[in-house]
């Protein structure tokens, strides 16, 4: 079974070769032992080799986001990959693909591949039968490049150049892609890299602003997925807070891209925006950079789709433009 797992700092995205998919928050923690809720607690508990964990949304009140750079040494990252594999229906041997931010890729791909290859565990999802899983083979790919494989990897009839910008929770990758008839897609390493900011900035900013206005402690995890927040019996609409914070993030990213790429931004066909922040930032980045910005369908799945494509390359009929819709 082929599986592609994108363990982001906010969410885990998983795809399988048979069409299954899973999406859940990147949160995991040992299940609290202080209170035994019997079957009520078991409904939210995942077992990994006999140890009980809260995974995803049930862990939101207990777990901290995964923030470490060394993914190969991060046991929680490995556990989330195993849980994602189980949610995709994996049993027995699987071939897996995962990814890393561009600037982490050179130093971390070896340790991550080594940590995953041969890893095995028995996972019991809530209410399900045991699933013994063994990761028999691993491929680690650079994020951003993986998204480009999924959307820009098909043959073309005319030469073009695109900047793929992958806005994640902690990092934003950018990679320049050149294409030409009869040639493979070519990333330009000199015009590619990682900006160490992402959508977590929006969540932190919203939490700080609400806390300042309302005088009540507010955490990022409370506001990052919520449309509103209840404070002292009053529902606070977070839309305006989030819109202002996203605009500020777009300003920061636009300035950084202009500083890094300069005149090259004026020589591209457009920006392909993917990742969890794509829809929130598309309009603002288009205005600030003055470059056409396109958002593919389901941009959050860009890297996972690229990982799976790398495992199962499929010939594609060349369209006239990238398979994207204008955001």
């Amino acid at each position: 079974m082929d599986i592609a797992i994108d363990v982001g700092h906010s969410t885990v995205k998983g795809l399988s070769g048979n069409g299954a998919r899973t999406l859940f928050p990147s949160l995991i923690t040992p299940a609290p032992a202080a209170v035994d809720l019997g079957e009520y607690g078991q409904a939210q508990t995942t077992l990994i080799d006999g140890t009980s964990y809260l995974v995803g949304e049930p862990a939101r009140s207990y777990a901290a986001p995964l923030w470490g750079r060394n993914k190969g040494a991060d046991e929680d990252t490995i556990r989330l990959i195993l849980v994602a594999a189980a949610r995709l229906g994996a049993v027995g041997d699987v071939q897996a693909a995962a990814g890393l931010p561009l600037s982490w890729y050179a130093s971390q791909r070896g340790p991550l591949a080594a940590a995953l290859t041969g890893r095995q565990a028995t996972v019991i999802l809530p209410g399900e039968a045991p699933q013994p899983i063994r990761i028999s083979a691993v491929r680690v790919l650079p994020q951003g490049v993986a998204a480009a494989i999924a959307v820009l990897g098909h043959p073309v009839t005319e030469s073009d150049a695109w900047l793929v910008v992958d806005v994640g929770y902690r990092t934003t990758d950018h990679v320049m892609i050149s294409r030409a008839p009869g040639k493979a897609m070519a990333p330009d390493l000199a015009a590619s890299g990682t900006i160490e900011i992402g959508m977590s900035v929006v969540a932190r900013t919203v939490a700080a602003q609400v806390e300042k206005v309302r005088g009540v402690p507010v955490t990022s995890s409370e506001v990052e997925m919520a449309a509103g927040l209840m404070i002292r019996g009053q529902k606070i609409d977070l839309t305006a807070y989030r819109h202002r914070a996203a605009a500020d993030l777009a300003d920061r990213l636009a300035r950084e891209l202009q500083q890094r790429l300069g005149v090259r931004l004026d020589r591209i066909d457009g920006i392909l925006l993917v990742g969890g922040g794509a829809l929130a930032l598309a309009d603002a980045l288009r205005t600030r950079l003055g470059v056409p910005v396109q958002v593919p369908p389901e941009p959050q799945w860009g890297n996972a789709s690229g990982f799976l494509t790398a495992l199962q390359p499929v010939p594609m009929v060349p369209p006239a433009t990238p398979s994207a819709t204008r955001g």
Side-chain angles (χ1 to χ4, degrees):
M1 182 176 181
D2 291 337
I3 61 171
I5 311 294
D6 178 13
V7 181
H9 290 97
S10 176
T11 58
V12 178
K13 284 79 64 177
L15 298 172
S16 75
N18 62 14
R21 62 167 57 188
T22 184
L23 172 68
F24 57 95
S26 300
L27 298 170
I28 184 169
T29 187
V35 179
D36 184 0
L37 296 179
E39 66 272 22
Y40 300 102
Q42 293 172 7
Q44 294 187 332
T45 301
T46 295
L47 271 69
I48 305 175
D49 286 338
T51 300
S52 298
Y53 293 90
L54 297 179
V55 180
E57 199 58 45
R60 187 171 294 281
S61 299
Y62 305 92
L66 303 183
W67 214 251
R69 295 173 66 102
N70 188 349
K71 293 301 182 183
D74 187 349
E75 284 296 308
D76 280 342
T77 293
I78 308 302
R79 293 185 187 104
L80 286 173
I81 290 174
L82 290 166
V83 171
R87 292 191 179 197
L88 291 171
V91 176
D93 282 1
V94 299
Q95 178 177 234
L100 291 164
L102 292 176
S103 65
W104 307 5
Y105 182 67
S107 63
Q108 293 297 315
R109 61 177 176 174
L112 180 58
L116 287 172
T117 303
R119 190 64 177 259
Q120 55 189 351
T122 297
V123 179
I124 304 179
L125 301 175
E128 301 293 333
Q131 293 173 244
I133 298 169
R134 177 177 178 270
I135 302 176
S136 58
V138 175
R139 184 169 184 185
V140 180
L141 294 98
Q143 295 171 187
V145 174
I149 291 172
V151 184
L152 299 173
H154 50 71
V156 294
T157 56
E158 296 181 2
S159 297
D160 59 9
W162 291 83
L163 181 67
V164 178
V165 179
D166 174 20
V167 185
Y169 190 69
R170 174 179 174 177
T171 60
T172 297
D173 284 338
H174 62 92
V175 54
M176 191 73 73
I177 299 294
S178 297
R179 302 188 299 175
K183 296 183 179 180
M185 183 188 76
D188 182 348
L189 297 182
S192 304
T194 299
I195 304 171
E196 297 269 352
I197 54 174
M199 292 301 290
S200 60
V201 172
V202 174
R204 290 200 305 270
T205 300
V206 170
Q209 290 176 343
V210 174
E211 182 172 319
K212 181 179 180 180
V213 171
R214 298 289 172 170
V216 175
V218 178
T219 65
S220 297
S221 61
E222 288 182 284
V223 301
E224 65 177 310
M225 302 295 290
L229 186 66
M230 187 65 69
I231 296 180
R232 293 172 177 163
Q234 182 180 2
K235 188 67 170 290
I236 308 301
D237 187 350
L238 300 177
T239 303
Y241 291 100
R242 186 173 285 111
H243 181 77
R244 288 194 298 269
D248 290 342
L249 174 59
D251 282 338
R252 293 176 64 181
L253 290 175
R255 287 195 299 270
E256 187 68 28
L257 290 171
Q258 288 167 331
Q259 181 178 348
R260 293 186 180 203
L261 302 176
V263 71
R264 295 212 49 185
L265 279 173
D266 300 322
R267 301 292 188 268
I268 59 176
D269 289 75
I271 292 174
L272 186 68
L273 199 60
V274 297
L279 293 174
L281 302 185
D283 289 342
L285 284 175
R286 184 182 297 111
T287 299
R288 286 156 178 77
L289 293 174
V291 177
V293 174
Q294 294 192 15
V295 180
E298 299 186 306
Q300 190 176 25
W301 293 87
N303 283 313
S305 296
F307 299 162
L308 190 61
T309 299
L311 291 177
Q312 298 182 316
V314 178
M316 300 179 67
V317 177
T321 59
S323 302
T325 56
R326 295 197 175 272

